[in-house]
Amino acid sequence: QVQLVESGGGSVQAGGSLTLSCEVSGSADNLRYMAWFRQAPGKEREAVAAIYDRIVTKTYYADSVKGRFTISRDNDKHSLTLQMNTLLPEDTAMYYCAARSQLGVVPPLVETSYDRWGQGTQVTVS
């Protein structure tokens, strides 16, 4: 059973940086899609970034974070990272790590593409 545990959240001033990590326990070899989502108070959960890792690696970003955030995955596939730079107050949210355990091609920035979720880590930008 795949489990995801996020870490690295915290409070930072606008313009600062944070690095989020997601540790994967269980079999990670078939997790071809992984992603970060976020949910701000009173808002729906939204995609931040996703990565497809099968022979070639492809990354996908929400327009709001392009050029500021970078998603990456360790070679052993057991760790997912989100490097967040030039943070803005509107980046304040609970950030969730997500993974897809099933095979198939799916839209990478859609919540329903993922069936494994972490508990989240809070990011606050002031």
Side-chain angles (χ1 to χ4, degrees), residues 64-125:
S64 60
V65 305
K66 280 181 182 176
R68 300 189 298 122
F69 291 10
T70 302
I71 188 171
S72 61
R73 193 173 177 187
D74 282 3
N75 288 337
D76 66 2
K77 304 187 188 304
H78 281 275
S79 181
L80 181 73
T81 298
L82 184 68
Q83 176 65 43
M84 305 186 295
N85 298 325
T86 318
L87 282 161
L88 305 170
E90 48 263 47
D91 294 319
T92 295
M94 184 72 78
Y95 283 70
Y96 297 91
C97 176
R100 177 176 175 84
S101 65
Q102 302 172 45
L103 299 178
V105 178
V106 295
L109 294 176
V110 173
E111 185 174 349
T112 53
S113 295
Y114 299 91
D115 57 358
R116 296 288 184 268
W117 293 86
Q119 294 300 307
T121 185
Q122 178 68 37
V123 171
T124 303
V125 185

Side-chain angles (χ1 to χ4, degrees), residues 25-92:
S25 61
S27 177
D29 291 342
N30 289 331
L31 302 180
R32 294 171 183 174
Y33 290 92
M34 293 194 70
W36 289 96
F37 285 74
R38 67 186 181 188
Q39 186 168 21
K43 295 187 176 181
E44 293 186 353
R45 189 153 57 183
E46 63 177 4
V48 175
I51 187 165
Y52 173 81
D53 188 8
R54 168 76 173 167
I55 302 176
V56 294
T57 299
K58 298 180 181 180
T59 56
Y60 309 85
Y61 296 94
D63 288 343
S64 60
V65 305
K66 280 181 182 176
R68 300 189 298 122
F69 291 10
T70 302
I71 188 171
S72 61
R73 193 173 177 187
D74 282 3
N75 288 337
D76 66 2
K77 304 187 188 304
H78 281 275
S79 181
L80 181 73
T81 298
L82 184 68
Q83 176 65 43
M84 305 186 295
N85 298 325
T86 318
L87 282 161
L88 305 170
E90 48 263 47
D91 294 319
T92 295

